[in-house]
Amino acid sequence: MLHTISPQDMREMERAFLDGTGYPSILLMEHAAQAVADAVERYAKRGSRVLFVCGSGNNGGDGCAAARIWMQRGGRADVWLMSSPSKMKDDAGANACLLNVCGANMTILYGDAPEIPADCAAIVDALFGTGLSRAMEGTALSAVQRMNGSGLPVIAVDIPSGVDGATGQTLGEAVRATETVTFHRAKHGHMIFPGRALTGHLTIADIGILSEWDGAQGIDVLEAADAASMLPVRARDAHKGTFGHVLLVAGSEGMSGAACLAAQATLRSGAGLVTAACCAPVRIPMQTLVPCAMAKVVCGGAALEAGTSMKLYELAQGKQALAIGPGLGQEEGTWRAIVQLVSGDMPKVIDADALNLLARYGGKVGANTVLTPHPGEMARLTGAQVQEILAAPVEYAQQLAQDYDCCVLLKGATTVIARGEDVAMNVTGCEAMGTGGCGDVLTGVVAGLMAQGMTPMDAARAGAYYHGLAGEAAARLRGSRAVTAWDVCEALRIE
């Protein structure tokens, strides 16, 4: 499992390690530079010409050291510096002065950056690290524009210059890296868009910090083995009752597809039984498209009505999990029908129209709940603007989880899952999943996993992971433009 770290925690941990062990800080820089030089070799042949664009701080020091190592390996190094070596401090200054002695072709930039040499094979971005706190301007901005316009592979040191290491947000224009070499642990900003897109391929390099000095919590990012280890063991003598029964409360006239997608995904996630509690227009589509699910008509109208509350409550008895919301509609009567289930303690997923009704009418949801809003639904639940949520998804997910005392799965290109101090991110999935109904599939997956006994947090994390993998698989089969939510559902493979 990957564990990200905030830039501030990284700095504090690195300083504690150096002070506590007496380990020379310049050796950390040397290890970092070796990892950068190794990355350069993936894009440039030994002996070729590489441009190193270096700032005046430690990030620039890493770049200067990498340029020296590249020369020691037989390459040619051009170095653009934002400051003269004599004005650079500590380890960065030492490496810049050493590079000067080694005879690198060094250019100190005072105005706009010059043209990049025509025979360069690659560029190393060592302008600014994770501590950048304002938009670039002047010479630095000019250098970034040269790098982005070069068409060459760009290897970023620690994080692409211009990306906030804590939030992934861009501070004006930022470097578009082909690969980013970061140190010790990934930073939050590598995982959150737009920083994630600008990072390119992420390499995490060990620079010698001993693990016992790293107590920073960070954010978990699931990998394949982590997700698989969370799944309940399926006994050879199991039967349909072993794997849980989900009550799905979903669908309305014209929105039966949402209910069908959620039902099929619940079954594909491993639940033993699914009963769809629905209004009359949903029954035939449900039993036609999802024959392995049961359909129970609880009202004859176009949507659930207030009078169906007791029927829903009775149907919920004996079930292991609930899934409430896909395609329900947003009438007041529908809210009155579901509010008792929404506020109860049974394990459940609340999504789509149920989230919008919750935002409108308020109330509690019970501790064993996963809320699965997309940014628009999150905006309605919190009163924030969508852009504010996109700029700080971790913080908004944590706050909503605290407000409702439940687990929150904030959907997005990077999904954030939060419950108390426990926070995770999911980075599986792709642009092909930007199609109606994919959220309904996720609802079914999470509910199905909860029915098998997984905790809300684990079901949300594993559900998001496998849902994203299914989207990737569907895109490989169909192409990113042709994928539908049903394709994603049929591509689910949870094992």
Side-chain angles (χ1 to χ4, degrees):
M1 184 181 296
L2 294 179
H3 301 278
T4 67
I5 188 170
S6 72
Q8 179 178 347
D9 284 346
M10 181 68 192
R11 287 190 290 272
E12 292 175 357
M13 179 265 296
E14 185 176 320
R15 177 50 52 196
F17 170 71
L18 294 173
D19 291 345
T21 64
Y23 196 89
S25 59
I26 200 164
L27 276 184
L28 293 185
M29 187 170 284
E30 191 73 5
H31 296 325
Q34 288 172 347
V36 172
D38 290 344
V40 171
E41 287 197 24
R42 291 192 275 275
Y43 303 93
K45 294 180 180 179
R46 289 203 176 194
S48 60
R49 187 177 190 178
V50 173
L51 173 64
F52 295 78
V53 184
C54 302
S56 58
N58 283 339
N59 198 253
D62 293 337
C64 288
R68 169 176 47 80
I69 293 170
W70 182 247
M71 293 174 65
Q72 291 168 343
R73 295 180 182 181
R76 292 180 293 158
D78 282 29
V79 182
W80 292 355
L81 286 173
M82 297 296 116
S83 176
S84 66
S86 61
K87 293 183 179 179
M88 295 171 67
K89 298 179 180 179
D90 304 323
D91 297 336
N95 269 303
C97 290
L98 184 57
L99 182 60
N100 192 29
V101 171
C102 291
N105 182 17
M106 302 177 71
T107 302
I108 301 172
L109 302 184
Y110 294 105
D112 288 346
E115 294 282 348
I116 292 171
D119 59 344
C120 267
I123 302 172
V124 172
D125 162 34
L127 264 178
F128 299 103
T130 59
L132 185 65
S133 59
R134 59 185 176 84
M136 284 178 286
E137 57 186 8
T139 302
L141 176 59
S142 173
V144 169
Q145 291 170 338
R146 290 291 193 195
M147 285 189 273
N148 285 342
S150 69
L152 295 172
V154 177
I155 299 93
V157 178
D158 207 9
I159 200 163
S161 294
V163 174
D164 188 313
T167 68
Q169 300 306 298
T170 55
L171 305 167
E173 188 159 355
V175 167
R176 296 189 295 272
T178 309
E179 179 172 344
T180 296
V181 181
T182 196
F183 311 120
H184 187 67
R185 281 163 64 175
K187 312 308 181 291
H188 303 340
H190 293 132
M191 300 296 169
I192 303 172
F193 283 87
R196 183 176 153 198
L198 296 169
T199 293
H201 175 76
L202 179 64
T203 296
I204 303 171
D206 179 6
I207 57 172
I209 297 174
L210 300 176
S211 59
E212 54 262 37
W213 288 89
D214 184 357
Q217 182 179 14
I219 297 174
D220 294 339
V221 181
L222 258 64
E223 298 178 291
D226 310 310
S229 70
M230 293 178 176
L231 299 177
V233 175
R234 294 173 76 87
R236 290 291 298 275
D237 61 347
H239 52 81
K240 62 187 178 183
T242 306
F243 302 130
H245 192 164
V246 174
L247 179 67
L248 171 65
V249 184
S252 58
E253 187 171 42
M255 292 295 291
S256 57
C260 293
L261 285 163
Q264 183 75 340
T266 304
L267 292 166
R268 290 288 187 200
S269 69
L273 294 163
V274 177
T275 295
C278 56
C279 58
V282 176
R283 179 178 64 85
I284 291 177
M286 177 65 68
Q287 296 197 313
T288 302
L289 293 174
V290 195
C292 296
M294 295 172 281
K296 181 68 174 177
V297 175
V298 294
C299 72
L304 295 186
E305 301 163 354
T308 63
S309 175
M310 185 54 63
K311 292 180 181 179
L312 292 175
Y313 178 78
E314 291 171 353
L315 280 173
Q317 302 312 300
K319 306 300 188 294
Q320 282 66 56
L322 308 175
I324 308 172
L328 273 182
Q330 299 183 41
E331 298 299 323
E332 180 180 358
T334 301
W335 173 246
R336 291 170 63 188
I338 66 173
V339 65
Q340 187 174 12
L341 296 184
V342 167
S343 61
D345 291 329
M346 183 175 290
K348 59 185 170 296
V349 184
I350 300 176
D351 184 34
D353 285 332
L355 290 174
N356 292 323
L357 289 167
L358 177 64
R360 184 183 303 166
Y361 296 105
K364 64 176 185 175
V365 298
N368 290 323
T369 300
V370 180
L371 303 180
T372 60
H374 56 57
E377 291 161 344
M378 177 68 95
R380 289 186 279 277
L381 286 163
T382 62
Q385 298 297 312
V386 169
Q387 287 304 315
E388 293 174 322
I389 292 164
L390 292 174
V394 173
E395 291 77 5
Y396 275 99
Q398 286 183 298
Q399 186 60 56
L400 190 69
Q402 178 180 320
D403 291 344
Y404 282 96
D405 188 24
C406 69
C407 176
V408 169
L409 187 160
L410 175 56
K411 294 179 285 196
T414 295
T415 292
V416 178
I417 305 106
R419 176 67 193 266
E421 294 299 316
D422 196 0
V423 184
M425 289 188 287
N426 180 65
V427 296
T428 61
C430 61
E431 70 280 1
M433 301 175 75
T435 185
C438 279
D440 304 322
V441 175
L442 178 61
T443 295
V445 172
V446 177
L449 294 176
M450 291 175 74
Q452 295 169 71
M454 293 180 70
T455 66
M457 187 69 183
D458 282 351
R461 292 194 295 175
Y465 178 85
Y466 286 113
H467 179 251
L469 284 189
E472 294 172 5
R476 288 193 295 271
L477 179 64
R478 300 286 186 187
S480 63
R481 298 178 193 276
V483 169
T484 67
W486 195 262
D487 296 324
V488 175
C489 187
E490 292 302 282
L492 283 167
R493 187 178 179 92
I494 301 177
E495 59 181 8

